[in-house]
Amino acid sequence: MIAKNKQELVNLWKNVDCVCFDVDSTVCINEAIDDLAEYAGTGSQVQELTKKAMGGNVTFKQALAQRLNIIRPSKKLVEDFIQSDKCKLTPKIKYVFELKLN
């Protein structure tokens, strides 16, 4: 179904049973794997692979494996990154979720 106006879209949103989101660059404005790579000191290499993956030049699975191979994250690195990272939400995303909850 395609909503024809804002009210129809709001009604559709309020009545769905399930919603799936791509979190990186959708719910959050940042790409977590790029941020993790930056934190690990491998940011530029990983960002280049992210661009290729987003352009459809490699599969998601291939790009993820390549990026993780560059970062080589340990459990400690990931835990430290999580503690230091400040996820930046996409403007108005809270409004989208509030619509569903109300």
Side-chain angles (χ1 to χ4, degrees):
M1 175 181 182
I2 297 175
K4 294 181 176 94
N5 59 53
K6 183 179 178 179
Q7 188 57 50
E8 194 172 301
L9 178 61
V10 169
N11 290 339
L12 176 65
W13 176 251
K14 287 182 176 186
N15 292 302
V16 295
D17 294 324
C18 178
V19 178
C20 297
F21 286 98
D22 171 14
V23 176
D24 286 1
S25 295
T26 304
V27 174
C28 299
I29 61 173
N30 47 335
E31 285 285 328
I33 198 160
D34 288 347
D35 292 351
L36 175 63
E38 193 67 38
Y39 187 81
T42 58
S44 59
Q45 293 170 283
V46 170
Q47 286 174 1
E48 187 61 36
L49 284 170
T50 299
K51 286 179 191 173
K52 286 180 183 177
M54 290 178 144
N57 298 324
V58 293
T59 67
F60 173 79
K61 186 176 180 179
Q62 291 168 327
L64 181 60
Q66 291 171 355
R67 292 179 289 179
L68 289 174
N69 191 43
I70 291 168
I71 300 168
R72 297 204 177 273
S74 65
K75 182 177 179 183
K76 172 125 176 65
L77 176 77
V78 173
E79 288 171 347
D80 291 348
F81 170 71
I82 290 168
Q83 292 300 315
S84 72
D85 187 48
K86 304 291 185 259
C87 177
K88 297 164 195 81
L89 294 177
T90 301
K92 299 189 180 182
I93 195 68
K94 288 182 181 179
Y95 171 74
V96 171
F97 290 105
E98 286 169 357
L99 275 176
K100 181 64 184 153
L101 296 173
N102 294 326

